[in-house]
Amino acid sequence: MVYENLLLEIEEGVALLTFNRPKALNALSTDLLNEFRDALQELEKNDEVKVVILTGAGSKAFVAGADIAAMKEMNSQEALDYSSLGHECLSYLETMSKPVIAAVNGFALGGGTEVTLACDFIFASDNAKFGQPEINLGIIPGYGGTQRLPRTVGKNLARELIYTGDLIGAERAREIGLVNKVFSPEELIPETKKAAKKIAGKSTLAIKAAKTAINAGYDIDQSDGCEIEKKAFSQLFDCKDAKEGLTAFLEKRPPKFIGQ
Ligand code: DAK
């Protein structure tokens, strides 16, 4: 597929998907969101791809948010369509079977922070900035920020960020549990690829089962979550990868997973 607003590179099981509207700091236009949804669906189907990395083109921004210029012109029906498309993208991103790592290389604001919150985890460069500045535009987060941010950093910190619109740097984002690791801008993509390739070498079935169990269990009672885990765990025993992993350990050799 050829995209106008995205770049895609696939190497050793890892897809690097780059938001590519650097002149608008990679703001989420309708065209970009349409391509983003299509690209995620393609990557989910592509057996060559085991892990996805999301980043932004240019040195300044991951994604500076929803497209403010476009939103200013929208009537309520267009705003509803725009909102539905954004939600469709982020819920697909969150629930697709393959892990998605956000590599945040600059501003991730508003919808940009919300994209990262729907990823499996976040690495950032030391010049990254996160925030939900929608309050300054007289609106509130519209792509799940009021829901995913409190679940990630806790209610009180989320309230402070959403009510003030303040931006935080990468180190502060790491302290509050939003970001897992911080690198220099030069190291960000190589280090993220390193982590992605490590995950790509595991059993895709086990990764999928872990992702499903974590997502499905997160918002429910822990004992119900453990039931989900039990089912996901036991289903792996019908698969060749689990037999291979257990056998390889006993034979003192590295496992060869085949995703079956
Ligand atoms: N949208 C469109 N264009 C943007 C943009 C954005 N979010 N952010 C930046 N740009 C454009 C600028 O207009 C400028 O374009 P030109 O003037 O060159 O044509 C170019 O990118 C470079 O930006 P600046 O000149 O402003 O660059 P600076 O380095 O001076 O500042 C900045 C960088 C990131 C601090 C600044 O650009 C900025 O504050 N940007 C806006 C950040 C922001 O407020 N983001 C949140 C957007 S609101 C909803 C769904 C979703 C949402 C809401 C509702 N519903 C479902 C209802 C989400 C809302 C948002 O994300």
Side-chain angles (χ1 to χ4, degrees):
M1 293 272 282
V2 177
Y3 302 107
E4 279 181 24
N5 300 281
L6 300 171
L7 301 170
L8 176 61
E9 164 196 313
I10 298 174
E11 178 195 283
E12 293 175 51
V14 175
L16 179 66
L17 188 61
T18 303
F19 297 112
N20 188 32
R21 287 185 78 210
K23 282 190 186 148
L25 304 187
N26 306 317
L28 303 169
S29 63
T30 298
D31 287 349
L32 183 148
L33 286 172
N34 272 313
E35 290 187 0
F36 184 42
R37 178 202 50 213
D38 294 348
L40 292 176
Q41 290 172 353
E42 287 297 317
L43 293 172
E44 179 75 340
K45 280 190 276 175
N46 185 342
D47 289 339
E48 202 193 323
V49 174
K50 316 286 185 214
V51 181
V52 178
I53 299 172
L54 289 184
T55 195
S59 55
K60 243 176 117 170
F62 173 78
V63 167
D67 190 328
I68 299 173
M71 282 198 294
K72 181 176 164 287
E73 304 303 325
M74 283 177 195
N75 62 32
S76 58
Q77 183 57 50
E78 287 163 340
L80 184 63
D81 293 345
Y82 182 64
S83 155
S84 304
L85 176 60
H87 277 288
E88 191 188 346
C89 290
L90 295 198
S91 95
Y92 193 87
L93 173 62
E94 187 169 53
T95 55
M96 64 190 280
S97 71
K98 299 173 184 183
V100 184
I101 309 173
V104 178
N105 56 312
F107 291 109
L109 306 184
T113 284
E114 289 169 303
V115 169
T116 70
L117 288 166
C119 293
D120 287 90
F121 56 87
I122 307 168
F123 285 175
S125 59
D126 53 24
N127 62 345
K129 291 243 184 284
F130 295 82
Q132 300 283 174
E134 290 88 345
I135 208 75
N136 300 324
L137 303 169
I139 58 176
I140 64 168
Y143 288 145
T146 62
Q147 303 307 305
R148 291 190 182 99
L149 189 61
R151 283 169 171 78
T152 305
V153 305
K155 256 198 296 197
N156 289 8
L157 276 169
R159 286 186 183 119
E160 186 184 343
L161 288 169
I162 291 170
Y163 298 172
T164 63
D166 284 350
L167 308 189
I168 54 169
E171 266 311 324
R172 176 70 181 142
R174 195 183 56 77
E175 275 168 21
I176 65 175
L178 178 59
V179 160
N180 284 16
K181 287 183 180 162
V182 178
F183 301 101
S184 69
E186 300 73 40
E187 286 175 318
L188 176 65
I189 294 299
E191 288 292 335
T192 310
K193 280 186 175 172
K194 206 189 283 178
K197 283 177 189 172
K198 185 175 199 179
I199 297 168
K202 314 292 181 195
S203 162
T204 49
L205 297 177
I207 295 288
K208 180 179 173 181
K211 179 167 178 169
T212 305
I214 292 168
N215 276 348
Y218 195 77
D219 281 331
I220 62 173
D221 180 77
Q222 186 170 307
S223 60
D224 292 338
C226 286
E227 286 303 316
I228 292 173
E229 182 189 81
K230 228 158 71 179
K231 196 167 159 213
F233 174 82
S234 57
Q235 280 170 349
L236 292 173
F237 285 74
D238 288 332
C239 305
K240 290 181 182 161
D241 277 355
K243 304 284 176 232
E244 165 63 9
L246 298 166
T247 307
F249 175 81
L250 294 173
E251 292 177 355
K252 303 189 188 306
R253 62 172 174 80
K256 284 197 200 102
F257 295 120
I258 55 172
Q260 289 174 13

